[in-house]
Amino acid sequence: MTIDIITLFPEAFECIMSFGPIRKAVESGSLKIRFFNPVDFAPHPKQVDDEPYGGGAGMVMKPEPLYKALQKAKEGFSESYVIYMSPQGRILTQEKVKELSGREHLVLISGRYKGIDERIMAFVDEEISIGDYVLSGGEIPAMVILDAVARLLPGAMSDPDSWRTDSFEDGLLDAPYYTRPREFMGMEVPEVLLSGHHGKIEKWRRYQRLKRTLLKRPDLLKKAKLSEEDRRILEEIKRELGIEE
Ligand code: 4GX
C-alpha cells in the first residue's frame, strides 16, 4: 500500500521511519511512504497560512496549496482514502487501523495552526482523532496511524503471528508477561507458566485477560467477543472480588 502524508514538516517523520515495523514494511516493499509539502505548491512568496476571515487569534492553512498537494498525491490512484487528522474526528481504534491497512492508498493530511480552510473538507473522506487533547499539529497523529497500520502489513514484524495476541484483537486486554529470571526482587513467576502444560497456560491467560479488562478497562467488555465460558469466568471473577452488579 501507499501512504501519502501532506505536511509542512516532512523531516519530523524521519526518526520513526528509520527503525522498527515502519522501516521493515518499507524495506520489504509492502509499504511506500511519500510526502507532499504544501509549501512546494504555493506560488511565490510560498505563503501557506493566512488570517481567518471574521478575525480572531491564530492562522489558518490556505486551501489552494493543500488542494494541489492532495491532487498530486492522488495522481495514478483510482481509489484514495483521504484522512484529516483532527480532534473533531472519531477516535482511532484498532478496528479502524485494520480497515485502513486493507486500503491501497491513504492520504493523511497533517494540519498546523488553527486548522485548515473548511472548504478542504469537501475532499476529505474521514476525520480521525488520536485522543481528546490538543497537539500543535497533525504530524504526531499521522505517525500514530503510520505505525499502527505498518505493523499489520506483511514483512513488518519479525514474528508475524504476534499480532494475534495483541490487546484489542478480540476486544480484551493482553495477559501479563514474565521473562527470566524466575525470581526477581523476591517475586516469583506464576507456577502455571513454568508447567509446560499448554492447556492450563491458555486457560490462565484467558482468565487474566478477562480479569485485567474487568479491572482496568471495564468499558471494553461491552464490545468484546465473549464466549459462554468467558461470561461464566467473569461472573466467577466478580464473585471473587466481591463486585456487585
Ligand atoms: N488528534 N491536532 C490538528 C489543527 C486543527 C485545529 C482545530 C482542526 C481543528 C489532533 C488530535 C490534534 C492539533 C491536529 C490541531 N485541526 N489531531 N490540528 N488530538 O490535536 O488528531
Side-chain angles (χ1 to χ4, degrees):
M1 78 182 297
T2 301
I3 301 184
D4 286 337
I5 300 164
I6 298 183
T7 172
L8 295 173
F9 301 104
E11 331 78 66
F13 292 81
E14 273 167 28
C15 114
I16 58 146
M17 289 168 55
S18 69
F19 67 96
I22 301 179
R23 177 177 170 172
K24 285 211 186 72
V26 171
E27 282 176 350
S28 70
S30 54
L31 175 62
K32 187 169 177 168
I33 304 171
R34 304 186 301 175
F35 295 94
F36 297 86
N37 191 335
V39 168
D40 299 331
F41 299 88
H44 190 76
K46 301 281 174 197
Q47 189 186 349
V48 290
D49 61 329
D50 207 339
E51 290 156 346
Y53 275 119
M59 298 294 268
V60 177
M61 286 181 81
K62 291 169 70 63
E64 308 96 313
L66 273 172
Y67 177 78
K68 285 183 185 158
L70 186 55
Q71 291 312 304
K72 191 76 188 168
K74 284 186 179 175
E75 263 175 26
F77 287 95
S78 54
E79 236 183 293
S80 300
Y81 198 70
V82 182
I83 297 168
Y84 176 50
M85 309 313 305
S86 147
Q88 294 158 26
R90 295 246 320 254
I91 291 176
L92 185 66
T93 60
Q94 188 60 20
E95 199 181 344
K96 176 58 72 179
V97 169
K98 272 203 202 164
E99 179 195 314
L100 298 179
S101 71
R103 293 193 181 265
E104 187 202 350
H105 186 214
L106 296 181
V107 184
L108 310 179
I109 304 177
S110 297
R112 283 263 148 185
Y113 319 116
K114 288 265 127 197
I116 61 182
D117 187 293
E118 189 66 20
R119 291 166 291 186
I120 290 295
M121 295 311 297
F123 309 97
V124 168
D125 295 300
E126 183 170 4
E127 283 180 279
I128 295 182
S129 168
I130 62 159
D132 292 338
Y133 37 78
V134 184
L135 299 167
S136 49
E139 282 75 19
I140 290 172
M143 289 182 210
V144 167
I145 291 198
L146 201 54
D147 183 278
V149 168
R151 62 190 287 285
L152 297 184
L153 301 177
M157 291 230 249
S158 36
D159 183 357
D161 271 347
S162 147
W163 65 268
R164 281 178 216 287
T165 56
D166 284 349
S167 294
F168 304 118
E169 200 38 52
D170 50 14
L172 296 177
L173 299 179
D174 209 347
Y177 286 102
Y178 297 86
T179 187
R180 279 178 281 259
R182 272 182 72 156
E183 192 235 289
F184 172 70
M185 302 289 273
M187 294 174 279
E188 300 273 358
V189 173
E191 200 58 42
V192 59
L193 297 178
L194 310 169
S195 69
H197 194 301
H198 288 292
K200 277 190 189 154
I201 293 171
E202 281 323 301
K203 236 181 137 183
W204 180 85
R205 287 197 170 137
R206 192 75 189 170
Y207 174 92
Q208 294 294 328
R209 298 185 63 196
L210 289 163
K211 186 172 177 179
R212 266 197 174 179
T213 311
L214 177 69
L215 289 175
K216 297 181 190 229
R217 291 293 305 277
D219 56 300
L220 294 178
L221 286 174
K222 288 185 209 98
K223 284 216 278 174
K225 295 174 208 154
L226 298 178
S227 66
E228 279 310 308
E229 171 76 355
D230 289 335
R231 291 181 199 284
R232 197 189 56 70
I233 298 169
L234 266 175
E235 287 315 308
E236 187 188 308
I237 296 169
K238 283 182 193 165
R239 246 181 292 119
E240 280 167 18
L241 296 169
I243 299 175
E244 310 270 328
E245 259 185 322

